[in-house]
Amino acid sequence: MRQAIERWAAAQHKVRPRPVLLAVEVPLLFESGMEGLFDDVMLITAPPDTRRRRLAAKLTDSDFARRMAQQMPEEEKITRSRFVFHNTGSRKQLRDFVGQAVAQILAGDDAAAGGGTGEPVT
């Protein structure tokens, strides 16, 4: 995956006009040790019960528990991410958050965005 991302990013740098921002979705970003490839990390998270409910049609309870056990704790992911959105609200709230984060990045604003649905990031 790392090589594919690096090849894609290199190709994007050759495109004219150059994109002002490149975004990549990487499942298990921290677990794979690839966060260093990126200038910023945005974490979209939700409480375990919400995630379980959203995956109910795809995973059994035991499969879900096994996957959760293989992942880094959410608290650690939060501390390692510049932007954090607690995805318990609407798609509009998510779109607005992503738009605000992108605007901050493009403006060179070093302040982090957090909370998403109004919840403070701890």
Side-chain angles (χ1 to χ4, degrees), residues 26-49:
V26 181
L28 303 173
L29 174 72
F30 297 110
E31 292 84 353
S32 66
M34 292 194 327
E35 71 267 23
L37 290 177
F38 305 99
D39 295 328
D40 290 297
V41 173
M42 179 184 298
L43 175 66
I44 310 298
T45 188
D49 61 321

Side-chain angles (χ1 to χ4, degrees), residues 63-81:
D63 287 338
F64 180 76
R66 183 177 41 76
R67 282 192 183 187
M68 290 290 294
Q70 293 172 339
Q71 294 181 17
M72 179 182 291
E74 273 320 275
E75 299 76 31
E76 174 129 3
K77 291 179 188 179
I78 288 169
T79 63
R80 296 171 102 185
S81 300

Side-chain angles (χ1 to χ4, degrees), residues 41-118:
V41 173
M42 179 184 298
L43 175 66
I44 310 298
T45 188
D49 61 321
T50 301
R51 286 184 267 160
R52 176 67 194 111
R53 193 171 52 254
R54 290 174 180 168
L55 291 170
K58 298 177 186 177
L59 298 175
T60 65
D61 286 340
S62 61
D63 287 338
F64 180 76
R66 183 177 41 76
R67 282 192 183 187
M68 290 290 294
Q70 293 172 339
Q71 294 181 17
M72 179 182 291
E74 273 320 275
E75 299 76 31
E76 174 129 3
K77 291 179 188 179
I78 288 169
T79 63
R80 296 171 102 185
S81 300
R82 178 171 173 210
F83 301 95
V84 178
F85 182 79
H86 296 278
N87 194 14
T88 56
S90 69
R91 287 182 188 226
K92 181 184 181 325
Q93 289 172 312
L94 174 59
R95 279 192 305 272
D96 289 349
F97 176 84
V98 171
Q100 291 168 3
V102 168
Q104 280 185 267
I105 292 167
L106 294 177
D109 186 348
D110 287 336
T117 58

Side-chain angles (χ1 to χ4, degrees), residues 3-15 18-19 22 24 37-38:
Q3 290 174 345
I5 292 169
E6 289 172 339
R7 280 192 305 270
W8 174 78
Q12 298 309 304
H13 285 288
K14 295 176 184 175
V15 173
R18 282 179 59 185
L22 298 178
V24 181
L37 290 177
F38 305 99

